[in-house]
Amino acid sequence: MDSGFEAQFDALVTHVSEMFNVPVSLITILDQNRQWFKAVHGLDMRETRRETAFCNYPVATGHSLVVEDATKDPRFSANPFVQQDNGIRSYAGVPLALEPGIHVGTLCVLDTKPRRFSPTALRMLDRLGQVAEALIKQFAQARKLNLVLDELHLKSRLLGHQNSELLFKQRLLEDACRLANMGAWERDLTTGQYRWSDTLYAIHALDPGSDITDETLRRFYSDSEWSRLEETVKRAHSDNSPYDIELAFQTARGEPRHARICSAVEMGHDGVAIRRFGLKQDITADKEIRARLRILAEHDLLTGLVNRATLLARMEELRSTDRPICLMMLDLDGFKDVNDTAGHIAGDACLREIGRRLQSMSAEACIARVGGDEFAVLLPATDALHMEALAVWILKKISEPFLWEEQGFQLGVSIGISHSLNRPAVDPADLLTEADLALYAAKGNGRNRLQFYAEALLSQAMQKVKTIGRIRAALKKGEFLLHYQPKFRLSDQKLVGLEALLRWQDGGVLRGPSEFRVGLDDTIVSTEIGSFVLDEGLRQAGEWFRSGIEFGHVALNMSPQQFQDETLVDELLGKISAHGLAPHHIQLEITEETVLSRSADEVRAACARLRQEGVLIAFDDFGTGFASLTHLISFPVDIIKIDRSFIGSLARDARARSIVASIVGLARNLDLAVVAEGVETTDQSELLLAMGCDIAQGYLYSPAVSARDLFERPAGCTMNKDR
């Protein structure tokens, strides 16, 4: 304990944090009173008291420990590191042993938010723990060896050539050699004779006492390695200096090994060198560990493909050769369905299969996995037609069905392409940005397609940044407001609720969502807008309720980003209560964008809790996108809202009528209510009523208006003041 930081340990915990996407990872060592950090990523401390350590459990039991939510675990909920702000919420750790059965510490990851660890992730953590354990053993052995060598040098200087002390040092050296897989050697420079220790014979797979000559040594090395050794020895002999070198060699049985050889010289009374002596250590295991760490640092463990950092390094290498390069960024379409319907094991298998398909495209291509379901292809750039042909090949290859346990899935892929043709000075990071912009455009244009980068995309991105800035400023100045569109029950034309719709009072212009959509697509701004919509909608509903106005409910639109906040449910229920409302006064509307987002699991869990409390959940714009019917089963939904695109052609298009009738019938069978959006004519209203649709909203009844104007409208929106 209490040793300095080591590069190998630091590299490992940094890689673990990146791999598991957690803020903190540690290699810990425990003694009687302390938990000490041999390597730490994400914390500004080196030790804690042992009684507060989560790592007590894996060290004591010898088994992994997983804590998904420390605040709900009686073993840790009172822990000071859990109770503090941004404290520990989740933990996973594997024990590390110096010897079988003797556990001294852990490799662990910590997060400030609750999380689940999949079986694949835990197996990966266990394998990384084996790497950490090997490093600790190597470190302990090296420290023991250094202590032994220091002792040898000290005794040599103090006691000279006294025979009794030489024997003592020899015994120490033999013990050290056995511990570190190392052997001692010496050469009499006057006679040329060699002497080897028994462990050095064992390292070379030779019988102890075998005759050692220069010719014997030569057989253990390749021509190139022997030349390196000869040159090193020659330089050391020229000025009687020590040397230290790493070499590859093979044993007498032909086994490839790696060794470190160090040497010093003994001078005679006349100042002439009389003896060379030193150590030779078999470092094969250490080289293998370093190679494994390099693989961990440079590759994605799931697919075996290179990672983002290695991709950028390859781009730099190609750039230095002045060869034009092409970069394609790929984002899978429909991958979420694989995880949702067949589980994460199937999802992992799917990603491996995608990697295998991409690797078959070209020997010159570098294939990387750069995100969850994101890949990259780097290859020499030729002409635009050839690059487009390769991208089309990828589209077709990815679209081939993926089979998992007799279940078939068909994925798509969106591709963004950038290249350095006629632009030799372009920076790899800029190419990556360009490919990302092209990918974003491909997804925005309907997905499952390719898009070359064009300067217009950069202009659009810059305009987007500018617009987002204006939107954030408008939020701060209070220029956003809510309008409300009434919803009526078709059977008796009674008002049953209101949908809150966002508007921007930009000076004298009232702007609808289509004019600030770019802000709704931005993660940070969308979260800020979502908070405003919730707070303002609840405030207005509370005011109506206290005024005795029977408004039914207020429906509030939710973004995927809002569900990433683990406190959403508790805070929303608290605010509903604080405004004097009941849960049934509020509905939440989610779109397929939310259902298909990367936070879909959080959305599902939050909606399930809210439904239990009485908040109804509506699936908005149903039937317009990629969401499948399975989401009606897997997601806790009470209401289907039919998109206005079907309602507009209802009276004149038989196919539209068939689709709407099918949606209504499906909802009936699933015991779900149906709301039709965009109803503008009496014919549409009557057709919907005949089909069994429950509720309608649209210009036939009222556009979305301010809360003040809502009560002043004489037609359709006159509300009963009796609660």
Side-chain angles (χ1 to χ4, degrees):
M1 298 180 72
D2 297 318
S3 61
F5 287 114
E6 304 284 336
Q8 289 179 322
F9 290 91
D10 293 343
L12 180 58
V13 295
T14 298
H15 179 72
V16 169
S17 284
E18 293 174 352
M19 179 179 296
F20 287 86
N21 193 24
V22 295
V24 180
S25 60
L26 308 167
I27 294 177
T28 69
I29 305 293
L30 274 63
D31 67 7
Q32 185 174 357
N33 301 311
R34 293 185 301 158
Q35 172 183 239
W36 175 76
F37 305 145
K38 175 58 186 169
V40 55
H41 177 85
L43 284 182
D44 188 20
M45 62 174 64
R46 287 303 303 270
E47 64 178 58
T48 68
R49 290 181 291 112
R50 177 161 180 169
E51 58 264 28
T52 63
F54 282 53
C55 298
N56 277 320
Y57 290 82
V59 169
T61 63
H63 298 294
S64 301
L65 172 68
V66 176
V67 180
E68 294 182 348
D69 190 343
T71 63
K72 299 179 181 178
D73 192 315
R75 296 173 296 178
F76 304 107
S77 58
N79 189 297
F81 291 108
V82 175
Q83 293 185 340
Q84 68 184 25
D85 292 338
N86 280 330
I88 299 173
R89 293 296 178 270
S90 56
Y91 168 96
V94 295
L96 307 178
L98 267 182
E99 297 178 13
I102 302 178
H103 299 94
V104 298
T106 67
L107 171 67
C108 61
V109 296
L110 300 89
D111 205 341
T112 56
K113 59 185 180 181
R115 64 181 295 161
R116 296 177 180 173
F117 295 89
S118 68
T120 300
L122 293 176
R123 286 195 298 273
M124 203 172 296
L125 183 62
D126 187 62
R127 289 197 294 269
L128 291 169
Q130 296 172 14
V131 175
E133 193 173 271
L135 285 175
I136 288 176
K137 290 178 180 178
Q138 288 286 105
F139 179 76
Q141 290 175 352
R143 292 198 70 184
K144 290 179 182 178
L145 176 59
N146 287 335
L147 291 173
V148 170
L149 291 176
D150 290 344
E151 181 70 11
L152 284 172
H153 289 293
L154 178 62
K155 293 296 182 180
S156 178
R157 288 193 300 269
L158 293 176
L159 302 177
H161 297 288
Q162 296 182 16
N163 289 336
S164 60
E165 293 301 327
L166 285 173
L167 291 174
F168 175 68
K169 287 184 283 187
Q170 183 179 353
R171 286 195 298 270
L172 285 177
L173 183 57
E174 288 174 354
D175 290 341
C177 289
R178 282 191 294 270
L179 180 67
N181 199 18
M182 180 172 61
W185 61 271
E186 67 174 55
R187 186 187 188 199
D188 188 326
L189 298 180
T190 60
T191 66
Q193 290 184 327
Y194 288 93
R195 288 183 58 199
W196 279 14
S197 68
D198 288 348
T199 50
L200 191 54
Y201 280 110
I203 287 172
H204 291 78
L206 288 175
D207 293 331
S210 298
D211 188 32
I212 302 299
T213 65
D214 287 341
E215 183 58 32
T216 306
L217 292 175
R218 173 68 184 81
R219 291 198 296 267
F220 294 117
Y221 300 94
S222 66
D223 291 343
S224 59
E225 293 293 81
W226 180 252
S227 295
R228 288 181 61 223
L229 179 58
E230 276 192 318
E231 182 63 29
T232 300
V233 171
K234 182 178 179 181
R235 284 198 304 268
H237 282 346
S238 67
D239 56 4
N240 294 321
S241 61
Y243 65 81
D244 192 323
I245 186 173
E246 288 189 13
L247 293 162
F249 75 103
Q250 63 179 16
T251 68
R253 291 194 289 264
E255 300 164 327
R257 315 294 290 173
H258 291 272
R260 177 186 177 191
I261 305 173
C262 57
S263 168
V265 65
E266 180 183 349
M267 308 299 292
H269 296 296
D270 55 0
V272 177
I274 60 174
R275 185 170 70 102
R276 274 275 172 185
F277 60 93
L279 301 170
K280 183 174 185 177
Q281 183 184 19
D282 186 335
I283 60 170
T284 305
D286 181 61
K287 294 277 285 187
E288 291 174 350
I289 290 173
R290 281 187 279 173
R292 289 174 64 187
L293 282 175
R294 186 165 56 252
I295 290 173
L296 289 174
E298 296 178 354
H299 291 76
D300 167 54
L301 290 183
L302 178 63
T303 62
L305 302 174
V306 300
N307 58 23
R308 191 183 195 94
T310 307
L311 175 71
L312 284 170
R314 298 278 176 87
M315 292 173 69
E316 285 286 4
E317 291 173 8
L318 287 173
R319 179 192 183 193
S320 66
T321 65
D322 293 330
R323 294 182 66 188
I325 58 177
C326 170
L327 178 65
M328 300 184 185
M329 297 297 293
L330 284 58
D331 188 284
L332 298 181
D333 300 323
F335 174 72
K336 192 81 174 60
D337 284 341
V338 180
N339 274 337
D340 287 346
T341 58
H344 290 285
I345 294 178
D348 289 348
C350 178
L351 291 173
R352 285 191 291 268
E353 171 62 16
I354 295 300
R356 186 193 65 77
R357 293 181 188 180
L358 292 174
Q359 284 180 303
S360 68
M361 69 177 296
S362 169
E364 289 187 294
C366 171
I367 313 299
R369 182 182 177 214
V370 295
D373 58 356
E374 297 174 357
F375 295 81
V377 177
L378 173 66
L379 69 166
T382 51
D383 57 84
L385 287 177
H386 183 250
M387 289 184 283
E388 182 176 355
L390 288 174
V392 170
W393 180 91
I394 292 174
L395 287 169
K396 292 179 179 179
K397 201 69 177 176
I398 298 300
S399 68
E400 293 176 1
F402 165 69
L403 298 178
W404 174 260
E405 295 183 350
E406 299 183 356
Q407 187 173 4
F409 297 93
Q410 188 163 21
L411 278 66
V413 62
S414 300
I415 305 175
I417 308 170
S418 64
H419 59 80
S420 62
L421 282 172
N422 303 318
R423 299 189 302 160
V426 67
D427 186 83
D430 292 338
L431 269 183
L432 194 61
T433 299
E434 293 173 359
D436 279 333
L437 287 173
L439 174 61
Y440 182 82
K443 295 183 75 68
N445 290 332
R447 304 184 183 185
N448 199 36
R449 63 189 61 215
L450 63 91
Q451 173 71 54
F452 278 89
Y453 170 76
E455 289 188 4
L457 297 178
L458 181 58
S459 299
Q460 292 168 11
M462 294 175 66
Q463 181 61 40
K464 175 182 175 181
V465 171
K466 183 178 179 181
T467 303
I468 288 174
R470 288 189 61 217
I471 292 171
R472 299 194 73 174
L475 272 169
K476 292 179 180 178
K477 291 188 290 185
E479 295 178 357
F480 279 92
L481 64 154
L482 293 182
H483 280 193
Y484 299 87
Q485 184 170 44
K487 297 189 286 186
F488 291 90
R489 189 163 52 219
L490 286 170
S491 59
D492 58 8
Q493 299 297 300
K494 181 179 179 181
L495 176 78
V496 294
L498 305 163
E499 181 180 1
L501 298 171
L502 188 64
R503 298 292 184 263
W504 177 10
Q505 190 66 58
D506 186 12
V509 179
L510 185 66
R511 301 188 185 278
S514 63
E515 297 184 71
F516 51 86
R517 178 69 195 182
V518 63
L520 301 177
D521 291 335
D522 181 81
T523 301
I524 297 176
V525 175
S526 176
T527 301
E528 294 174 355
I529 289 176
S531 297
F532 165 77
V533 170
L534 280 181
D535 291 341
E536 176 60 17
L538 291 171
R539 185 201 65 77
Q540 183 62 67
E543 182 178 310
W544 284 331
F545 184 76
R546 289 188 298 274
S547 299
I549 296 173
E550 189 175 291
F551 60 91
H553 65 263
V554 172
L556 304 171
N557 290 279
M558 301 290 289
S559 69
Q561 291 79 13
Q562 289 175 273
F563 286 98
Q564 293 175 5
D565 182 357
E566 61 187 27
T567 66
L568 170 68
V569 175
D570 292 332
E571 288 190 2
L572 178 56
L573 293 173
K575 290 177 179 179
I576 290 173
S577 177
H579 285 288
L581 299 168
H584 72 265
H585 286 126
I586 300 299
Q587 287 185 9
L588 298 185
E589 296 192 3
I590 59 174
T591 64
E592 74 159 23
E593 178 187 3
T594 304
V595 171
L596 297 176
S597 70
R598 287 181 169 84
S599 57
D601 291 339
E602 290 84 352
V603 176
R604 185 184 292 108
C607 289
R609 278 195 59 199
L610 289 167
R611 284 186 76 210
Q612 290 176 350
E613 298 294 333
V615 177
L616 296 185
I617 309 298
F619 195 160
D620 199 9
D621 300 335
F622 183 77
T624 60
F626 295 91
S628 65
L629 297 179
T630 58
H631 293 101
L632 292 180
I633 300 173
S634 62
F635 267 77
V637 173
D638 303 285
I639 303 159
I640 292 176
K641 298 194 72 176
I642 304 175
D643 187 71
R644 66 182 62 250
S645 62
F646 296 108
I647 305 303
S649 57
L650 194 64
R652 63 180 183 276
D653 190 334
R655 290 179 298 179
R657 290 194 295 275
S658 296
I659 292 173
V660 172
S662 298
I663 294 175
V664 173
L666 174 67
R668 289 293 183 200
N669 290 331
L670 294 176
D671 197 24
L672 303 176
V674 183
V675 178
E677 296 182 293
V679 179
E680 299 182 356
T681 68
T682 303
D683 288 345
Q684 293 169 355
S685 175
E686 292 175 350
L687 283 170
L688 289 166
L689 177 62
M691 292 177 182
C693 180
D694 302 292
I695 299 166
Q697 65 184 93
Y699 273 60
L700 175 63
Y701 309 102
S702 171
V705 295
S706 68
R708 181 187 60 191
D709 293 341
L710 192 63
F711 301 117
E712 296 177 355
R713 294 180 63 83
C717 258
T718 302
M719 298 187 184
N720 188 347
K721 291 273 186 175
D722 298 327
R723 186 175 302 172

